[in-house]
Each structure stands twice: as structure tokens, then as C-alpha cells.
Amino acid sequence: MLLLLALCLGLPLCAGSLEEARSWGDTSEQKTKPLMTEFSVKSTIISRYAFTTVSCRMLNRASEDQDAEFLMHIPASAFITNFTMLVGDKVFQGEITEREKENGDKVKEKRNKTAEDNGEKGPDAFRASAVIPSKGKAVFLLSYEELLHRRLGKYEHVVSVRPQQLVGRLTVEVNILERAGLSSLEVLPPQDTRQRHGGRAEDDTGPPPSTVINQNETFAKVLFKPSVVQQAKIAQNGILGDFIVRYDVNRAQSIGDVQVLDGYFVHYFAPRDLPPLPKNVVFVLDSSASMVGAKLRQTKDALFTILHDLRPQDRFSIIGFSNRIKVWKDHLVAVTPDSIRDGKVYIHHMSPTGGTDINGALQTAIRLLSSYVARNDIEERSVSLVVFLTDGKPTVGETSTARILNNTKAATRGRVCVFTIGIGDDVDFRLLEKLSLENCGLTRRVREEADAGAQLVGFYDEIRTPLLSDIRIGYPPGLVQQATRTFFPNYFNGSEIVIAGKLVDRQLDRLRVEVTASNSKKFVVLKTDVPVEPQRAGGPGPEDNGTAGPNPLERLWSYLTVRELLSSWLQSGDGREKERLRQQAQALAVNSRFLTPFTRMRLKKAPGTRQPQRADAVDVSAATGPGTAVQSPPPGPALEKPHDPRIKVSRTSADGDPHFVVDFPTSGLTVCFNVDGQPGDILRLVSDHAGSGVTVNGQLVGAPAPPGGHKKQRTYFQTITILVTKPARSYLEVTPRRVILDGEDRRVLPCNQSAVAGSRGLELSVSANANVTVTIQGTIAFVILMHLYKKPAAYQRDHLGFYIASGGGLSGSCHGLLGQFLNQEARLTGAPARLSPSSTGPPPPQAGGASAATLQVAGHQVPVVWKQRRIYNGEEQVDCWFARSAGQLLDGAYEDYLAAHPFDADTVLGLGRPRGPAVVALT
């Protein structure tokens, strides 16, 4: 089969730096498009680190083969971690490997010359194309990761929703988990991010229609699921724009928030309520002939706004440059109403003409700042900045990029920070990027068709309020290793400093943190011993035994380290040092599965794989975070004989509406009860995180009640999730359609095919359309039954049943709706005369109704009656003692059994329960 794949991806460093296009083949022009049946994006943000997976499904309805293109814009700071493509009956998996040295030494800078239907351009566009056979299907799966940067007091997560056609099933799901707690959350209407960044969003009118937001103190779920009609109201061509979620977190300690997980730590430092530092700033504006028209007009308007935002303690000047350098004042002036008015008049009279002398303009600006600082005995500490804006390349004076960089670095001497803005497609963005990287600044690209003025104001807003300078953050050298950058020239209000590293001693309970910085007239020193107890709500679930394995903080550390190595490589002018940095960045990127300028992705046909029988049998989930590879089914040895669908296991179960059954094998007695939950609730079934490291949660889905019933609605288990942390971390998510196993690798298995898989002591066997058997370390076994309907009634839903086949490996402190009854004994006293304590048969009927007794649990009297229930898809009838009031039977209240997210292992109840068997008595 003909396979065409084109990758066009830029990977900027820091604020939009190193770019590189990856191209595999060409994409031919299409006359007709295959039908996109589904476009779904799922992001999980854990402690500011975002894992995103994109799934796109296409159908070729034509009678001939058709070309299909998958296009996804990803954030400039993100790393792609995997791409998988399923076409017809073939599976192509992405593999990230080393890029050859000759290509890595001189990274080619290619622009993305392809454009979307509306003419948009984007260096961060990922494109893949394939030929779909007639009546065939294709699935594209893309994964990427990024650290969210805090700007203007908010984290912003952007998801591109540009399927380029109206889609029958379009879903964007964003899950946010922050241990510190969420202080704010907002969802913006769809928009073109590349044409905003105004910073002052008066036009943000709230979330788009069909957006549902659910949140508690530490967790939020945002779901955007527009119908075709709702999509058409936003954009007829299917280019809806960017779905944007903004949020911030609570901040308690002045020294910041330190989180630890499995030997890795991350330190978030974002102080507030400090007096701003005075600024010495020179605005350098390109007034060459290429700036004629809207670019110069919008830039002038933006500078008018920026000048009004200067504070009385600031000093400023203005330089216009073309082939001549035109200085407003030959010295920095104080901010007064008169100086602001004069500066605006000077800007107003600038006219575009001549060439572009970048070197001369920068040297003049730095000289003004250096002279002012040298001539004035400044008691207050201040920050010196150059805000430099251009739309072109150096054409006059010094035109060598290397010499301009060397001259600028020599002039600033680390005392002046250079912030650069590039407008349009003709600008030498690589030069601006290096200027900022080497001189403690940031860079920003402004699209030519965008509102340049609004973006300039937004960029300035990020740096308008410096609070600290010369920030140094230290940790005991014997306790911390391989920490990322710990010195920062400036800290601006609304931003955040992030440091990650490794702990030498994983059992460390406190970490000494020391922060030194300058603020106005003060020299700030903060010293604190920060508790580093393993977090319980800061990730999908920590490993209490310290076993190394993939976790969000390890991914974050790898991400920051690779980013810093790439930045250092870009800045370095020494060949030997450059090669050392290249090798380090490449090795870590390959190990972390990051697509960078020093790595490449190759598609390989997976041997022995088959396309699932239905289009929706392959799915992808980011709920567990760091997994990337998606395959269905995975290559490997021949499948073992699957379990018999009629497998008989312990009666202890949660199935149906949901009905709970607890079996006490020693006495032969069975107890049953019901739990009336709410759709969307996640129930804790087994909570043994501190003991065996096993947690089982079940998420409910709602359905109308059958006609004539006493209930208003039914609830069923739609998803069962299992977290295992010992001996190593594994995640399992089961739905009626697919199974996702996340351990060393991610595997996605359809439920309509028999398969076996395993990861780190967890083994599972899928019996097609029947059940999933899960075995953990050979001592714990669960069976998950599938209830599937070919033609479901209105009150029926495909759902799951959860059965405990063997709980021998669970500890005595196990809890949960089912777990609290394991390892216990029950005895029957005072029951009907013909029923002995060990009898399992039905009791005799009594006058006036069903046989009744009293269940005693921890001193509570719980009335129970005898009844019959069917389990195992109705194949077995169970005689049980039914507790009408489950609240009297269970520890705590219903709310105590609600989990915050599918892999929540933070158990509240049962932590102080004694180990060993307890006694439950029936009287």
C-alpha cells in the first residue's frame, strides 16, 4: 500500500526558538475528502505538566482509493512523544531514534510552506497523509507533552480544534489535577491564538456552547462536545480555532511549592505582594521601509499604550532605526506627563524608509542603559531592559549574525536583558531568538496578518512589573542531583520559576531550600525546611515503596532538562562544547521519547497486527499521563487460550445498577446491598494503596429507569480503573469497548478481540465481548464482565461488572465499598430455626413476609432480609441477606467513597483499621 507521511514541525526553545521542519514525502492535492467520523482530544494536566493525545478517524466512502490528510497544530513548546497510524488492516507505529550527527550539527530551518484552507500558516503544524482503500478506514493517533508556563497570573492550555470539516463526533476533554488546589478556572470561546496574546481579554465572553465544567478543590474536568450544528455556528469549514483553558493555583508558602514523587522533585516559585523594581527601558523600533502600512501603525499604537503604563520610578528612552539610528534623547529620562507626551509625539512622526541596521540600534540602546547606570549612584536596585522590535534581517552595517550576537553579548555583560519581537514571515527569527537567549530575555513572534498592536501590548504586560532580580535557589548538594537551572536574572509578576531535579535519598522527609534575590532596596534571603512527604493527590497515584518508574515529575524533569540542553546548544559557540550538549540532549530525548532537532521519528509497520473489526475499537486515553505508544493489538507471541466467558469466580462483586454482593466463604454466608450513585461519580471499590499498592475505582453512567419502576434513573459502571504501585507502577482502564494498559509501554486492546498482555507484575486476558481477567503478582485476581446490547432499550447501557476472584494478596487494612469486607468472618445467630450458622440454603418462609434478621457490624444494628439475586450475566442465582440501608452497613457516608479522578488512590476511610480478620455477626 502506498503510504505518504509528511511532518512539518517547529520546536522553538524557551519562548519560540529553535525551529525545524520534518518532511517525509509530499502531500498531494485532494479533490474530495474522506469523511472524518471522529476527532477527539484528551489532555491531562498534572502539576502544570500536560499530557495530550489526539485521535482522528476517517472513512473512505468512495469506490476508489482516496488520499487522507491529518493536520494538528501543537503548542510551540510541546514535544511530540508518539504517532501511530492504522490504515486498512495495517498498523504503523512511530519510533523515536537518534538523528545522524551531520543533521544534528546544523539543524535546517524550514518554514511550513503548506497552508490550511483559509490560508493560515504555522511552523508548529504536524501533518500526516495516507491512502485509504475504497470503503476502508484510517485512524491517526498523536501524543505530545508540554509544561504550561504561567503568564499574567494564569496557566493557559491551548488545544487546536481544526479538523477542516464538520465532524459527527467531536470531543475535547481537559482534566486538571493540582495538589495545591485550584484558585481560578475559566474556559474561553474558540479563537485563533496566533492572532491574540493581547493580554487584556475584554472580549472573552465565556466558554462555547456544549461545554461542561466540573471541579472540586484540586481537580477539574472540562468537556467540550459540540454537535454538528453547534460546530457550524462557529465555523462552516470545520476550523473552529483554539479551545483554551486558563487556571491558577493556590499559593501558601513564600518560598514556593515543592512536590516529590519517586525520587524526583519539582519546585514552583512564584512570590507575590512585593513592591515592583524600577525599570530602565529603551524601546527600539524598526522604521525601515518594510514596516510601511499597518505594521508600523499598529506598532505605534501599541507603544502609545505601553508608555502610559510606565511607572513614576521608571526611566526610559526611544530609538528608531533603519539605515540610520535615530535617538529621541541621548539619555534616559524620568517618567512624567510631559516626557510621555513628548515620547508619543516622537513616535508619531516616525516614517518608514531605508534599510535595517540591527547591530547599530542594539549597540546604541545598550550604551544608553550602561551610561545611565554608571553615571547615577542608584540606591534602589533596578532592572535594565531593551525592548527590540523588527520585521526583517540585518541589511545595513554589520550583517553577520555571529558578529551581531558577539557584539551584543559583550556590550550587555549580563547586566542588560534584551527582549525581542519579530513581525511577519521575513524576519530573521533565529537571530532574535539567540539575542534573547544569550541576554536573559524572551522572544515573541507576531504574525503579519494578526493584530500586532495587541500582541505587543500583551508581551509587554508580561515584563512590565519586575519583582525580583538575581534570583538564586539552592538545595543541599549532597541531597539533590541533576537539578535544572537555579539562577534567574529576573522574576516578573504573574510568571513562575520552575526547577526540577532528583533526590539522592528517596526516604528524605524534609528538604532545605534557600532563595536569595534582590528586591528594590532589599536583599531577600528565604530559608526553609520544606516537608517532602510523598504526594497523594498530585499525580495519578504515587508509589509508596519508592520504586522507580514513569511519573509526571520525572517527565517534567526530562522535559526541562532537554529544553535547557537545547538552549545551551543553541547559544554555544564552542564546537567541542556544542557536541557534548548535542549528545546529552539526544540521549535524554531518545530515552524520554521526545521528538527534538536531535531525534527523528520513523514509522514502522507493526508485525503480526490486525486492524480492529470496528472503527471505534481503538481508543486513546491520557488519563494516566506519561504513556505514549498506542497499538492495537501489540506485536508479540501468539495469544494464549482466553478465559472461558462463563468463568466462575467469587461472588464478591459490584454489578448491575449497581448491586453489591459480599461472599464470606468460611461461614458460607452472603450479604448484599445497593448503592444509588449519581452519573459521573467515581466510586472506590478496593482501596489498598498503602498495603498491596492496589486501587480499584469504578465510574458510573446514567440511564432512564424502566417504565413502571420506583426509580427515576439507573446507574451502571461505565469504566473500571485499576492502579498498581507495587512492585512498579501500572495503570489499567477498562470500558465495554477497549482496555488501556499503561506500564513500561502503553497498549490499547479492543474488547471485541481476544488478547493477552502484561506489564510489571500485572497480567490481563481479554475474552472477546465477554470479560477481562486481571492478575496481580499471582496473588490478586479480578474479573470484569462486559454487558453488551445489540439493540439496547432506552434504559439499557453497555456496562461492566466487577468481581473479586482472589483477594489473598490484599492487606488487612484494605478498604473501599467491597474491600472493607475482605479478610473478615461472618457468623449467623438467631436466624430461622431450620437455618444453621453454616447453612447456605434458603431460610423457610415466615408468616407475614420474607425472612428477616439483624446484621451487627461494629456495634451497629443493621436490619437485613433474605432475598435472591442473579450474577454472572444472570447465569447464577445467589441467596443473600440484603441490607436495605447500605449507609448502616458501610463505614462512613456515600461521599467518603467518591474518588476525585479515575486513578485517585487517596483513601480517607479505613486508615486506622486493625489488621487481621474482624467479625461480622448476623443475629
Side-chain angles (χ1 to χ4, degrees):
M1 173 178 294
L2 177 61
L3 173 66
L4 301 175
L5 178 65
L7 283 169
C8 301
L9 173 66
L11 295 172
L13 302 180
C14 296
S17 62
L18 190 60
E19 298 178 356
E20 175 183 324
R22 295 164 181 81
S23 178
W24 297 339
D26 298 318
T27 302
S28 57
E29 188 173 321
Q30 312 296 325
K31 292 183 179 181
T32 60
K33 290 183 177 180
L35 176 67
M36 188 178 295
T37 58
E38 181 179 353
F39 180 86
S40 63
V41 182
K42 189 170 186 179
S43 294
T44 297
I45 304 169
I46 304 173
S47 297
R48 290 77 144 175
Y49 194 72
F51 304 90
T52 301
T53 55
V54 184
S55 174
C56 176
R57 307 176 190 277
M58 294 186 182
L59 171 65
N60 178 12
R61 298 174 294 175
S63 57
E64 57 187 18
D65 294 355
Q66 278 191 322
D67 291 333
E69 181 185 65
F70 168 67
L71 169 67
M72 185 67 189
H73 291 274
I74 68 170
S77 60
F79 284 139
I80 288 176
T81 54
N82 205 304
F83 177 68
T84 300
M85 184 163 59
L86 300 92
V87 183
D89 60 352
K90 296 180 175 61
V91 179
F92 300 90
Q93 298 170 340
E95 179 185 13
I96 294 178
T97 60
E98 295 182 356
R99 182 179 292 272
E100 290 77 1
K101 179 180 176 181
E102 55 270 23
N103 292 334
D105 285 341
K106 185 177 182 180
V107 177
K108 299 178 181 179
E109 183 182 6
K110 297 180 181 179
R111 303 298 184 203
N112 180 9
K113 299 303 182 181
T114 58
E116 295 180 352
D117 294 344
N118 65 347
E120 286 184 297
K121 297 180 180 179
D124 308 317
F126 178 97
R127 293 177 185 268
S129 62
V131 177
I132 306 179
S134 172
K135 310 301 181 182
K137 301 169 185 176
V139 182
F140 302 91
L141 303 169
L142 176 69
S143 302
Y144 61 86
E145 301 174 13
E146 62 174 321
L147 175 65
L148 302 186
H149 296 283
R150 189 169 184 256
R151 296 188 176 97
L152 303 176
K154 303 283 185 181
Y155 303 100
E156 188 171 274
H157 182 58
V158 180
V159 174
S160 176
V161 187
R162 295 175 171 83
Q164 302 185 85
Q165 58 178 282
L166 301 179
V167 183
R169 288 183 293 176
L170 191 152
T171 305
V172 178
E173 181 180 330
V174 179
N175 297 287
I176 304 172
L177 183 61
E178 292 287 353
R179 187 188 71 167
L182 298 170
S183 63
S184 65
L185 175 70
E186 59 180 327
V187 180
L188 278 58
Q191 53 192 281
D192 188 351
T193 304
R194 287 160 293 183
Q195 297 189 18
R196 51 177 203 91
H197 284 300
R200 304 175 183 184
E202 294 88 349
D203 58 342
D204 293 341
T205 57
S210 79
T211 301
V212 178
I213 304 173
N214 293 306
Q215 71 177 106
N216 56 28
E217 183 179 350
T218 60
F219 178 77
K221 178 178 179 179
V222 179
L223 181 64
F224 175 52
K225 197 172 183 180
S227 65
V228 173
V229 174
Q230 290 170 326
Q231 295 173 47
K233 289 181 179 179
I234 299 173
Q236 291 283 348
N237 61 0
I239 302 176
L240 278 63
D242 293 311
F243 184 79
I244 302 167
V245 179
R246 285 180 182 159
Y247 74 95
D248 200 17
V249 301
N250 297 318
R251 302 177 193 280
Q253 298 189 52
S254 59
I255 205 165
D257 177 24
V258 179
Q259 299 183 19
V260 173
L261 182 62
D262 297 344
Y264 289 85
F265 78 92
V266 60
H267 182 188
Y268 301 101
F269 181 62
R272 57 184 180 179
D273 301 328
L274 296 172
L277 285 166
K279 295 192 302 291
N280 313 313
V281 57
V282 177
F283 300 100
V284 184
L285 173 60
D286 186 346
S287 60
S288 62
S290 59
M291 287 287 290
V292 67
K295 283 192 288 188
L296 186 57
R297 183 178 66 253
Q298 292 179 358
T299 301
K300 289 180 178 181
D301 291 341
L303 287 177
F304 293 160
T305 302
I306 290 171
L307 290 181
H308 279 294
D309 281 343
L310 292 173
R311 296 184 174 87
Q313 66 265 36
D314 296 338
R315 298 292 187 272
F316 78 104
S317 188
I318 304 165
I319 294 176
F321 75 97
S322 54
N323 55 328
R324 295 173 52 200
I325 311 300
K326 293 158 279 189
V327 182
W328 171 52
K329 302 287 186 181
D330 60 358
H331 59 279
L332 268 62
V333 300
V335 175
T336 65
D338 289 342
S339 64
I340 295 298
R341 183 192 64 241
D342 293 345
K344 290 173 66 177
V345 170
Y346 178 78
I347 293 172
H348 175 73
H349 286 101
M350 282 186 180
S351 58
T353 182
T356 308
D357 186 358
I358 291 178
N359 183 73
L362 284 170
Q363 292 298 310
T364 303
I366 297 168
R367 196 158 45 244
L368 281 177
L369 290 166
S370 300
S371 298
Y372 173 77
V373 174
R375 286 199 310 265
N376 294 272
D377 184 15
I378 304 175
E379 295 182 2
E380 290 186 341
R381 293 178 172 87
S382 60
V383 173
S384 297
L385 312 175
V386 172
V387 179
F388 182 86
L389 184 146
T390 183
D391 74 333
K393 303 176 177 66
T395 60
V396 176
E398 182 58 72
T399 58
S400 167
T401 296
R403 283 193 286 270
I404 292 174
L405 292 170
N406 290 335
N407 294 343
T408 304
K409 193 170 184 178
T412 61
R413 293 181 294 175
R415 300 176 183 175
V416 176
C417 295
V418 179
F419 295 83
T420 60
I421 303 105
I423 299 181
D425 296 326
D426 296 327
V427 67
D428 187 348
F429 192 74
R430 178 68 62 82
L431 171 60
L432 300 186
E433 179 183 61
K434 286 190 174 183
L435 283 170
S436 294
L437 280 174
E438 294 182 359
N439 298 282
C440 63
L442 299 172
T443 190
R444 184 67 48 83
R445 182 193 291 274
V446 177
R447 300 295 166 188
E448 193 162 349
E449 68 275 13
D451 183 355
Q455 295 196 51
L456 289 175
V457 172
F459 181 63
Y460 176 76
D461 281 348
E462 296 180 29
I463 62 174
R464 68 188 293 263
T465 309
L467 297 182
L468 295 173
S469 63
D470 301 326
I471 306 105
R472 297 180 185 274
I473 302 180
Y475 313 94
L479 301 179
V480 170
Q481 61 184 0
Q482 298 184 40
T484 55
R485 184 164 63 113
T486 57
F487 172 75
F488 303 86
N490 299 300
Y491 168 74
F492 296 96
N493 188 40
S495 64
E496 183 175 61
I497 290 173
V498 183
I499 302 167
K502 299 181 181 180
L503 294 178
V504 175
D505 181 8
R506 294 192 176 195
Q507 305 303 318
L508 190 70
D509 59 352
R510 304 188 74 83
L511 178 64
R512 183 72 169 176
V513 179
E514 180 175 322
V515 178
T516 61
S518 298
N519 169 250
S520 191
K521 297 181 180 180
K522 300 178 181 179
F523 187 72
V524 180
V525 179
L526 301 173
K527 297 182 180 180
T528 305
D529 287 333
V530 180
V532 293
E533 298 175 359
Q535 64 190 58
R536 289 192 174 273
E543 296 175 23
D544 291 340
N545 65 344
T547 303
N551 71 71
L553 301 193
E554 179 183 1
R555 301 296 294 175
L556 193 155
W557 171 82
S558 300
Y559 174 94
L560 278 180
T561 303
V562 171
R563 279 280 173 217
E564 292 181 4
L565 288 169
L566 291 173
S567 297
S568 299
W569 176 85
L570 188 64
Q571 297 176 52
S572 176
D574 180 82
R576 186 172 299 177
E577 175 71 8
K578 219 172 172 64
E579 173 61 15
R580 183 185 66 82
L581 293 168
R582 185 193 70 82
Q583 291 180 2
Q584 289 182 352
Q586 185 181 71
L588 183 55
V590 170
N591 185 63
S592 304
R593 306 184 304 278
F594 290 150
L595 186 59
T596 72
F598 303 135
T599 54
R600 61 169 45 180
M601 179 183 288
R602 294 181 176 178
L603 283 187
K604 289 188 175 182
K605 182 179 175 182
T609 60
R610 295 175 54 197
Q611 170 73 1
Q613 296 175 0
R614 59 184 186 181
D616 59 357
V618 179
D619 205 345
V620 65
S621 171
T624 57
T628 54
V630 180
Q631 55 193 46
S632 177
L639 299 178
E640 298 174 2
K641 183 178 180 180
H643 286 257
D644 188 334
R646 298 174 178 267
I647 184 172
K648 295 297 186 293
V649 296
S650 166
R651 298 174 179 179
T652 301
S653 60
D655 204 344
D657 189 12
H659 302 316
F660 288 76
V661 177
V662 179
D663 195 28
F664 298 95
T666 302
S667 60
L669 296 176
T670 304
V671 177
C672 50
F673 60 92
N674 295 343
V675 172
D676 293 328
Q678 295 298 316
D681 284 355
I682 302 173
L683 304 183
R684 304 179 189 275
L685 302 179
V686 177
S687 297
D688 197 27
H689 184 66
S692 63
V694 175
T695 300
V696 183
N697 296 328
Q699 185 166 15
L700 298 175
V701 63
H710 66 282
K711 286 188 174 183
K712 294 183 179 180
Q713 69 173 0
R714 285 184 164 189
T715 53
Y716 305 96
F717 285 117
Q718 180 186 42
T719 305
I720 300 293
T721 52
I722 300 176
L723 168 64
V724 180
T725 61
K726 299 177 181 180
R729 185 182 302 276
S730 295
Y731 306 91
L732 183 67
E733 178 180 313
V734 182
T735 72
R737 291 184 175 181
R738 48 92 177 116
V739 178
I740 298 177
L741 175 62
D742 231 326
E744 296 174 317
D745 294 306
R746 168 170 291 184
R747 294 184 176 181
V748 180
L749 307 174
C751 289
N752 63 347
Q753 295 181 10
S754 297
V756 293
S759 174
R760 300 177 170 185
L762 185 151
E763 298 179 357
L764 65 90
S765 173
V766 180
S767 181
N769 295 325
N771 61 61
V772 178
T773 303
V774 182
T775 306
I776 303 168
Q777 294 299 305
T779 60
I780 302 170
F782 304 130
V783 175
I784 301 170
L785 295 189
M786 305 174 205
H787 301 275
L788 306 175
Y789 301 92
K790 292 183 178 179
K791 295 181 179 180
Y795 54 85
Q796 293 176 323
R797 298 287 185 272
D798 288 351
H799 64 279
L800 304 173
F802 175 74
Y803 292 75
I804 300 178
S806 173
L810 297 170
S811 72
S813 61
C814 181
H815 211 270
L817 287 169
L818 288 174
Q820 62 188 288
F821 300 107
L822 302 178
N823 303 314
Q824 295 183 355
E825 292 181 2
R827 67 176 182 264
L828 192 65
T829 61
R834 288 176 53 193
L835 188 63
S836 68
S838 61
S839 175
T840 59
Q846 294 183 350
S851 301
T854 300
L855 178 68
Q856 293 183 351
V857 179
H860 298 285
Q861 303 292 321
V862 184
V864 294
V865 297
W866 176 86
K867 71 179 302 183
Q868 292 181 323
R869 272 201 171 150
R870 289 192 173 274
I871 59 175
Y872 309 138
N873 274 327
E875 296 178 11
E876 181 172 328
Q877 182 171 286
V878 176
D879 299 324
C880 65
W881 292 96
F882 176 67
R884 286 196 174 97
S885 176
Q888 298 180 39
L889 179 65
L890 301 170
D891 290 341
Y894 174 77
E895 291 75 15
D896 297 321
Y897 294 92
L898 295 181
H901 58 89
F903 293 97
D904 183 9
D906 189 10
T907 305
V908 177
L909 290 170
L911 295 180
R913 295 173 62 87
R915 294 183 179 269
V919 176
V920 178
L922 277 172
T923 59

